[in-house]
């Protein structure tokens, strides 16, 4: 892993997550890229009050100044992690995605609403919306979560379809880089089904090079079961493999990974 990016909106939660990203970059011997996306004319100008800048140049300069301040704060922790700053103009999600792709980022880190009020959890956030937009692995960090290393990971899988070898190659790569144990969990209403068992055996083969366990639990409530399993196993991280949904389904429901990101108080890594 060479480059870890943190997308920030300069809120206190995002700045706390910056410390997590910095420590992760230190452990991975990677550089840290701080990204802020701004849109000159906001969707709701009334939200800006009387502080709305007079030009896009003014917003760009303000973004660069605040990114520089954040980088200076992070440098106070005494690490030797290289830190760069990037200001990107445009609507938030596509602007972040453009910056990440242009800079060949290996991992994108964002703050979630994991400890926010229930109403915010219901509505979601830019970070959870990014799950369906990103083309690079996305690490979502609840605001109150401090970095303590990543040694114990829970991987939620859906065994209704054949596992994709390419996706599991990415899982193996991250597990190897973290040096962690991967506890695979599938929640299914027919845990003894033969096809399910065959796919579970295939997952074991795909993860043969990393320490892992595999559990199939009966049930229908994926979110509660996965979260309870992760908490019981004292997981440092939950990994999920987002599924691509058609446009019609997106009108009515979020993906399972997005819903889990809203509910969990454990960092979540969406592998894409």
């Amino acid at each position: 892993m060479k480059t870890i990016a943190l997308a920030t909106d300069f809120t206190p939660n995002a700045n706390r997550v910056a410390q997590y990203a910095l420590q992760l970059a230190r452990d991975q011997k990677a550089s840290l890229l701080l990204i802020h996306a701004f849109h000159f004319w906001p969707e709701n100008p009334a939200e800006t009050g009387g502080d709305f800048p007079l030009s896009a140049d003014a917003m760009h300069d303000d973004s660069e100044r605040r990114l520089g301040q954040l980088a200076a704060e992070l440098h106070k922790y005494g690490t030797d992690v290289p830190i760069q700053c990037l200001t990107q103009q445009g609507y938030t999600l596509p602007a972040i995605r453009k910056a990440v792709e242009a800079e060949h980022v290996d991992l994108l880190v964002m703050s979630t609403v994991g400890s926010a009020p229930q109403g915010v959890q219901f509505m979601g956030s830019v970070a959870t919306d990014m799950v369906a937009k990103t083309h690079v692995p996305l690490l979502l960090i609840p605001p109150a979560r401090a970095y303590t290393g990543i040694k114990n990971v829970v991987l939620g899988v859906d065994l209704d379809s054949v596992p994709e070898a390419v996706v599991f190659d990415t899982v193996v790569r991250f597990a190897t880089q973290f040096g962690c144990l991967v506890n695979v969990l599938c929640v299914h209403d027919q845990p003894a089904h033969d096809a399910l068992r065959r796919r579970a055996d295939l997952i074991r083969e795909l993860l043969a090079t990393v320490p892992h366990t595999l559990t199939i639990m009966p049930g229908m409530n994926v979110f509660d079961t996965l979260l309870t399993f992760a908490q019981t196993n004292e997981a440092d991280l939950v990994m999920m493999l987002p599924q691509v949904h058609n446009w019609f389904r997106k009108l009515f429901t979020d993906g399972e990974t997005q819903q889990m990101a809203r509910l969990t108080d454990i960092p979540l890594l969406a592998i894409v």
Side-chain angles (χ1 to χ4, degrees):
M1 195 182 308
K2 295 182 179 179
T3 304
I4 296 174
L6 170 78
T8 179
D9 58 1
F10 303 122
T11 60
N13 284 338
N15 288 343
R16 280 191 289 269
V17 169
Q19 298 176 24
Y20 187 109
L22 178 74
Q23 292 173 298
L24 177 61
R26 178 200 61 200
D27 283 357
Q28 295 299 314
K29 296 179 173 57
S31 62
L32 180 62
L33 175 65
L34 304 177
I35 301 173
H36 176 66
F38 74 91
H39 184 57
F40 173 54
W41 191 253
E43 291 85 348
N44 183 5
E47 293 179 353
T48 63
D51 298 326
F52 185 64
L54 297 178
S55 69
D57 288 341
M59 292 189 74
H60 182 277
D61 292 345
D62 181 65
S63 174
E64 288 196 330
R65 176 183 61 81
R66 298 177 75 179
L67 283 175
Q69 290 175 341
L70 178 57
E73 287 295 320
L74 293 176
H75 277 304
K76 290 180 181 179
Y77 289 90
T79 71
D80 56 357
V81 175
I83 301 177
Q84 295 180 303
C85 302
L86 178 62
T87 295
Q88 186 74 46
Q89 182 176 358
Y91 289 104
T92 304
L93 293 182
I96 293 174
R97 175 174 165 176
K98 179 180 178 181
V100 164
E101 292 177 351
E103 297 298 321
H104 305 290
V105 166
D106 300 296
L107 177 66
L108 174 61
V109 181
M110 298 181 73
S111 171
T112 72
V113 294
S115 62
Q118 188 65 35
V120 179
Q121 290 184 343
F122 177 76
M123 294 301 294
S125 69
V126 170
T128 55
D129 289 345
M130 180 60 81
V131 171
K133 303 294 183 182
T134 183
H135 285 173
V136 301
L138 173 63
L139 178 57
L140 302 174
I141 310 296
R145 191 75 179 200
Y147 181 79
T148 57
I150 300 175
K151 297 300 180 183
N152 190 15
V153 172
V154 168
L155 170 62
V157 298
D158 178 6
L159 291 182
D160 281 330
S161 58
V162 177
E164 295 185 15
V166 173
V167 175
F168 273 87
D169 281 346
T170 304
V171 172
V172 170
R173 174 166 56 85
F174 272 98
T176 302
Q177 290 172 336
F178 294 149
C180 64
L181 168 68
V182 178
N183 300 288
V184 183
L185 175 67
C186 171
V187 181
H188 202 277
D189 60 346
Q190 294 180 310
H193 197 279
D194 288 343
L196 208 68
R197 296 291 179 176
R198 288 194 295 271
R199 291 166 190 152
D201 289 340
L202 178 56
I203 287 179
R204 291 189 181 95
E205 293 177 11
L206 294 172
L207 297 179
T209 59
V210 299
H212 69 275
T213 66
L214 193 149
T215 304
I216 302 176
M217 297 186 69
M220 297 290 291
N221 192 324
V222 175
F223 314 113
D224 287 346
T225 305
L226 179 56
L227 186 55
T228 300
F229 184 85
Q231 291 171 337
T232 301
N233 283 272
E234 299 181 345
D236 304 306
L237 179 71
V238 174
M239 283 189 188
M240 294 189 73
L241 315 176
Q243 301 290 319
V244 176
H245 301 304
N246 62 46
W247 68 270
F248 184 78
R249 183 177 178 186
K250 288 179 180 178
L251 290 175
F252 299 99
T253 184
D254 289 333
E256 292 177 350
T257 305
Q258 290 169 291
Q259 293 190 46
M260 181 58 66
R262 294 177 181 179
L263 296 173
T264 183
D265 57 356
I266 301 172
L268 187 147
L269 176 60
I271 299 289
V272 296

